[in-house]
Amino acid sequence: MSFKVPRGTQDILPEQTPKWQKVESILRDLSRVYRYKEIRTPMFEQTELFQRGVGDTTDIVQKEMYTFEDRGGRSLTLRPEGTASAVRAYVEHKMFGAPDQPVKLSYIGPMFRYERQQAGRYRQFVQFGVEAIGSADPAIDAEVISLAMDVYHSVGLKDLQLHINSLGDKETRDAHRTALINHFKPSIGEFCSDCQNRLEKNPLRILDCKVDHEHPLMQTAPKLTDYLTEYSGTYFEKVKEYLDVLGIEYVVDPNLVRGLDYYNHTAFEIMSTASGFGAITTLCGGGRYNGLVEDIGGPDVPGIGFALSIERLLLALEAEGIQLDVEDSLDIYVVAIGDEAKKKSVELLSSFRTKGISADMDYIDRKMKAQMKSADRLGAKYVIVIGDSELEEAAVNIKEMQTGNQEKVPFVELVNYLLEHK
């Protein structure tokens, strides 16, 4: 019987992991610079958390969640996104009482959604996200968007476009909801079954439909920005002013609604405009979620955040032909000839590694020529060959592979030599 990786998942092999590690390092460094401290939450939560937080009418809850019953009869769900878990932790641990507000959090970890696999989209995927909870200042909206843009700029991406919109407050949404129902209802039979179900429950989600996005009624649908209250309109203008101050270019997209129920006021997506990237161009999405903390059992505290898929980030790098500068060097390879030489090699490797010098040797008893080829393949900076004569002299010729230069160095001085020449 043969086994394969489950559908919609992937193995990230050793030759690929340096790219992931590089991206993760950049993400953690940016989080540090912006002061978003890492939080680590469980990979599964009570199902009701996502039903209440993400929304019963969303595709995630209705179609994509991995839900199971544990042995105690409790309904649990593998997390499909990170915000609900972060907010749950914020409420449970009473972080709203911390002296410094807003509470700024970041996370990196696997998420799970049952959906059709396609380029850059998997059923298990790795998401980076940030949450700023406790401020209703438009400046924090601009900061969150700036951090998202900096992620992509830091890896060298250039073919980017930021789309923003305002989803308004409850008064705005109610007025817009009525207008949408009146607009779509006479012709709703021409739309997909999902849109038909959304008409009364959540008509705003019709605008996010991938099946009927070319339907003429989509182009003439009432714009949410036309129904903004004075407060919502002023708030959105201030967000745009801060983005202008930061020099961040954007496109106001009235059809940008995002796929989760908790969003209000500012919503944004970052798109890749690289040719050949694929049909789904969204790299990152986020927005404000005032009211979510209260829905999950906490106080009435505002919040904003975003999340991005690392898989899609790597796909965008590929589309733009960008190679990350990754560290995967080998400082020294030790070639051993004979049993006594092998014992000495094991001892030397330990002394190198203790000082942070990357070192390796042969473990399958290959001939000297094969070991030298291995050192070359691994990109070793230096190579030493240990045989009987080297053991007698307690010294070895150390060869710099790039130049071919050799220098005789006593065993006891090898560590210092390598530290000086790293």
Side-chain angles (χ1 to χ4, degrees):
M1 183 176 181
S2 62
F3 295 95
K4 292 186 177 180
V5 67
R7 184 180 178 86
T9 66
Q10 62 173 332
D11 293 315
I12 300 169
L13 302 177
E15 57 266 27
Q16 299 167 319
T17 50
K19 290 190 296 184
W20 283 78
Q21 292 165 346
K22 179 70 174 182
V23 169
E24 289 164 2
S25 174
I26 290 170
L27 294 172
R28 288 193 167 92
D29 193 49
L30 277 172
S31 297
R32 179 189 60 80
V33 169
Y34 275 82
R35 301 295 294 165
Y36 284 75
K37 296 184 178 180
E38 185 177 8
I39 185 170
R40 303 187 184 192
T41 61
M43 281 193 283
F44 58 88
E45 302 265 9
Q46 292 172 260
T47 300
E48 189 180 359
L49 172 66
F50 300 116
Q51 290 171 335
R52 292 179 64 180
V54 177
D56 279 331
T57 64
T58 61
D59 283 351
I60 290 176
V61 170
Q62 290 186 344
K63 302 177 181 179
E64 299 172 3
M65 294 203 315
Y66 281 94
T67 298
F68 60 96
E69 193 174 281
D70 72 3
R71 294 185 179 184
R74 293 170 288 262
S75 180
L76 300 173
T77 295
L78 297 178
R79 61 187 184 193
E81 56 95 49
T83 299
S85 293
V87 172
R88 189 267 309 148
Y90 172 88
V91 172
E92 182 176 349
H93 300 286
K94 296 181 172 57
M95 298 167 77
F96 46 81
D100 295 318
Q101 299 289 329
V103 172
K104 296 160 70 169
L105 306 171
S106 68
Y107 57 84
I108 302 177
M111 308 291 165
F112 306 86
R113 296 185 191 178
Y114 187 87
E115 56 184 346
R116 185 171 62 86
Q117 181 178 345
Q118 48 193 303
R121 177 169 286 182
Y122 296 89
R123 292 176 178 177
Q124 176 180 317
F125 57 98
V126 180
Q127 197 174 77
F128 167 76
V130 306
E131 315 294 344
I133 310 173
S135 171
D137 188 336
I140 198 72
D141 298 38
E143 178 182 279
V144 166
I145 293 172
S146 176
L147 172 52
M149 293 296 291
D150 274 354
V151 167
Y152 297 108
H153 291 149
S154 295
V155 296
L157 289 171
K158 294 182 174 61
D159 297 335
L160 303 168
Q161 190 173 76
L162 169 65
H163 287 219
I164 63 171
N165 191 23
S166 173
L167 304 183
D169 51 20
K170 186 178 186 304
E171 187 179 339
T172 300
R173 298 281 286 268
D174 288 347
H176 186 234
R177 181 181 186 280
T178 300
L180 284 175
I181 291 174
N182 292 336
H183 177 75
F184 286 113
K185 194 168 187 176
S187 304
I188 194 63
E190 300 173 12
F191 286 76
C192 70
S193 58
D194 284 340
C195 286
Q196 293 177 34
N197 291 331
R198 291 166 179 161
L199 181 66
E200 297 294 339
K201 294 179 180 177
N202 191 353
L204 188 65
R205 293 280 289 112
I206 295 176
L207 301 178
D208 199 36
C209 180
K210 301 297 186 288
V211 177
D212 295 312
H213 66 280
E214 297 291 344
H215 194 286
L217 285 180
M218 290 290 203
Q219 313 308 317
T220 58
K223 293 180 172 58
L224 198 148
T225 48
D226 293 337
Y227 296 84
L228 293 178
T229 61
E230 183 178 354
Y231 173 78
S232 295
T234 301
Y235 192 96
F236 192 43
E237 289 303 314
K238 287 182 178 178
V239 172
K240 291 190 286 185
E241 287 174 12
Y242 284 119
L243 291 176
D244 292 337
V245 167
L246 293 170
I248 297 174
E249 296 182 358
Y250 55 85
V251 174
V252 177
D253 183 354
N255 290 327
L256 173 58
V257 298
R258 300 296 297 140
L260 308 178
D261 283 358
Y262 53 59
Y263 285 118
N264 48 59
H265 291 292
T266 309
F268 68 93
E269 290 184 350
I270 299 172
M271 316 285 192
S272 170
T273 58
S275 60
F277 180 71
I280 301 173
T281 60
T282 303
L283 295 174
C284 166
R288 183 160 282 283
Y289 46 81
N290 301 351
L292 178 59
V293 176
E294 191 174 16
D295 287 344
I296 291 178
D300 184 11
V301 175
I304 183 171
F306 74 80
L308 62 86
S309 157
I310 295 182
E311 287 87 348
R312 295 194 66 74
L313 186 155
L314 293 172
L315 198 64
L317 289 172
E318 186 179 324
E320 291 195 30
I322 297 171
Q323 296 292 325
L324 291 175
D325 181 20
V326 297
E327 284 287 332
D328 190 27
S329 60
L330 174 60
D331 294 323
I332 186 166
Y333 190 95
V334 181
V335 176
I337 303 172
D339 290 340
E340 292 304 315
K342 187 173 239 182
K343 290 179 185 177
K344 185 63 181 178
S345 298
V346 168
E347 177 192 329
L348 286 174
L349 254 64
S350 178
S351 65
F352 296 150
R353 291 165 176 167
T354 300
K355 295 298 183 179
I357 298 166
S358 62
D360 209 347
M361 63 178 283
D362 176 69
Y363 290 102
I364 53 175
D365 294 325
R366 289 176 294 184
K367 301 292 186 184
M368 177 178 167
K369 185 176 180 181
Q371 292 187 53
M372 292 297 292
K373 285 184 178 179
S374 181
D376 191 46
R377 276 195 310 274
L378 294 171
K381 186 176 180 181
Y382 292 99
V383 172
I384 57 174
V385 179
I386 302 176
D388 292 340
S389 60
E390 285 79 15
L391 291 172
E392 288 176 13
E393 295 181 38
V396 68
N397 284 319
I398 185 165
K399 179 180 179 181
E400 186 176 8
M401 293 292 280
Q402 188 171 1
T403 63
N405 294 335
Q406 295 190 62
E407 190 171 345
K408 197 161 193 172
V409 179
F411 286 148
V412 294
E413 296 178 14
L414 275 172
V415 169
N416 288 335
Y417 181 92
L418 289 168
L419 290 174
E420 290 172 6
H421 291 81
K422 277 193 77 170

